[in-house]
Amino acid sequence: MTRVETSTSLELRGRIVSATSEFDDGVVSIRAGRIDRVRSLADWVAAHPDSIVPPFSGTVLPGLVDIHNHGGFGHRFDTVDGAEARAAAEFHHTHGSTTVLASVVTGAAPDMIAQVAALRSLAAEGTIGGIHAEGPFLAAARCGAQDPRYLRDPDLELTEQLLAAADGHLRVMTLAPELPGFDKVAQRLSDADVVVSLGHSDTDFTRFRQALRPSGFGSLVTHLANGMPPLHHRTPGPAAAALVAAAQRQVVVELIGDGVHVDSGFGALVFATAPERVALITDAMQAAGMPDGEYQLGPQVVHVADGVARIADGSIAGGTAHLLRCLAWAVRECGVPLREAVIAATSVPAAAAGLADVGDLRTDHFADLLIVDDNLQLRRVLRRGQLLT
């Protein structure tokens, strides 16, 4: 169980970096688990002339928002054990991802429905930010570590069962747009305020682009470049279509920033093409934070060697990093400015998944904050105003 230290009132001083606030020396005022004000140190001192100035604590960032996460520290989200799912969420909380969507993968329909139902209570209480269903309506040719035995064409009946099991907490669902029945299921998800994310697709540029906004239902792209044909100048495919839509500010693209799933040069290209339309994610699975060995992702056995997770056929099977490490990769390896990388790990994914009151340092948002040093090493995490230790 994560230990917390509580305080109803707190002043945190440091370099402030977020979507709406940036100060070389500023103060975040916290009251009753919410952000009261964010201002420069000079403005804070003017408003508190008789108060002791808070010590400079480092760089203060919003709590990170990971919208694609399958588990960590030996625990899984694709489970019917609520305690196991809670432990997975708390592992990522203590490493800076104060908001996490719990992702379930393709499995037998009754299993997926039961897993979504088990996660519902954790979403209702705020332990997770909601649920992401990655499958089962995915292309077999690009299934990656998704178990091909359980893939199926988009099905309204199963969609209704998943929506009912989630009881309003299904935030995102990944679908391949070329499959028969896609349009009807995408319409139903959209009507239910579920974000339609396109991924695990083997289609061409035109079909993928048409399925994205503004002509289609897709507003998010699942782990860009993974689970789709490689980007090529004569067959640009889904990756190019996603980048065009993101550059036109019509969609957000997920990017796994663990240094394994995509090369840093490709990461630099994505950020340069679509600034403020990139959502850094971990795609973390059970092995995140754990040593090499054998783990599980849905029905599939996963072998982790040198920190890289793969199933028997060699396909990468999720990530083993936490989101702060992905943020640091964007800065150090891709040359992305710190504020842009912070936005990609906070406000952009929060908005893409329709998450309120998180992802920024602004008045009335939850007091979810990180304090890091100059090397982006974690010093402190506050979630809902409580210090996690």
Side-chain angles (χ1 to χ4, degrees), residues 371-388:
I371 300 174
V372 298
D373 64 17
D374 290 342
N375 294 315
L376 296 177
Q377 295 298 304
L378 190 61
R379 288 180 173 172
R380 301 170 74 187
V381 181
L382 277 82
R383 185 173 190 270
R384 309 302 195 255
Q386 299 180 340
L387 178 64
L388 306 186

Side-chain angles (χ1 to χ4, degrees), residues 145-230:
Q146 305 276 334
D147 195 323
R149 295 176 296 170
Y150 302 108
L151 296 175
R152 57 199 291 176
D153 289 340
D155 176 335
L156 275 175
E157 182 180 358
L158 178 54
T159 302
E160 293 291 354
Q161 292 173 323
L162 291 168
L163 288 170
D167 192 26
H169 296 289
L170 183 62
R171 291 282 184 181
V172 179
M173 190 167 191
T174 301
L175 305 89
E178 68 269 29
L179 297 180
F182 167 81
D183 289 332
K184 289 183 179 179
V185 168
Q187 176 72 69
R188 178 68 184 99
L189 292 171
S190 182
D191 290 344
D193 294 325
V194 177
V195 172
V196 174
S197 187
L198 305 190
H200 287 280
S201 169
D202 198 43
T203 194
D204 60 14
F205 177 97
T206 301
R207 179 69 185 92
F208 201 88
R209 182 67 187 91
Q210 288 173 343
L212 291 169
R213 287 182 175 173
S215 58
F217 294 103
S219 61
L220 183 65
V221 175
T222 296
H223 48 47
L224 180 69
N226 288 275
M228 56 184 66

Side-chain angles (χ1 to χ4, degrees), residues 244-271:
V244 168
Q248 293 170 340
R249 305 188 64 79
Q250 291 163 342
V251 306
V252 168
V253 293
E254 293 181 350
L255 188 68
I256 307 174
D258 60 1
V260 173
H261 283 79
V262 298
D263 183 82
S264 59
F266 182 79
L269 170 67
V270 174
F271 274 98

Side-chain angles (χ1 to χ4, degrees), residues 39 90 182 240 282 298 307 337 351 377:
R39 50 194 152 179
E90 290 181 345
F182 167 81
T282 61
Q377 295 298 304

